[in-house]
Amino acid sequence: MSRLVDMKLIASQLRDDVERVVHHLFPNGKKVGIYWVTGDIYDTPASNNGSFKIALSGKKQGMCRDFNGDDTWFDLLRSEEHTSELQSLRE
């Protein structure tokens, strides 16, 4: 028997706990104001201010952007490095 996945519920739960999630996925990052900041989607330690930022609060909570590249959440989700970490968060 297959289970239906409620993506809106998952997204809501991740937003509610976004700081814990990003700290788990990006341990080399740091909190800067309302953002979690790291070097890129692969968690390269940031030089200067870092270019990959995830909003921890506000109307864009949970949204991210790489200001020095074209990487998106889709690239993050496809990256083999984070696949097992995302799986462990789901469990």
Side-chain angles (χ1 to χ4, degrees):
M1 176 186 261
S2 66
R3 294 179 4 196
L4 293 176
V5 177
D6 185 344
M7 294 306 290
K8 288 183 180 181
L9 177 62
I10 291 170
S12 173
Q13 290 174 340
L14 287 172
R15 269 193 309 275
D16 290 346
D17 207 12
V18 68
E19 193 162 344
R20 182 183 71 84
V21 171
V22 298
H23 189 272
H24 178 79
L25 292 175
F26 304 102
N28 289 322
K30 61 185 175 186
K31 187 174 180 180
V32 178
I34 65 164
Y35 295 100
W36 190 260
V37 180
T38 189
D40 55 31
I41 68 167
Y42 304 104
D43 198 30
T44 304
S47 58
N48 299 321
N49 295 325
S51 68
F52 186 63
K53 299 181 181 189
I54 304 164
L56 300 174
S57 61
K59 67 180 184 177
K60 296 200 179 223
Q61 181 182 25
M63 301 294 289
C64 66
R65 181 169 177 199
D66 188 342
F67 290 88
N68 195 30
D70 296 325
D71 295 324
T72 67
W73 269 118
F74 297 112
D75 297 313
L76 170 66
L77 294 173
R78 284 190 301 229
S79 74
E80 187 175 320
E81 183 175 323
H82 289 300
T83 301
S84 62
E85 293 171 351
L86 289 167
Q87 177 68 28
S88 70
L89 282 171
R90 190 175 72 175
E91 296 168 354

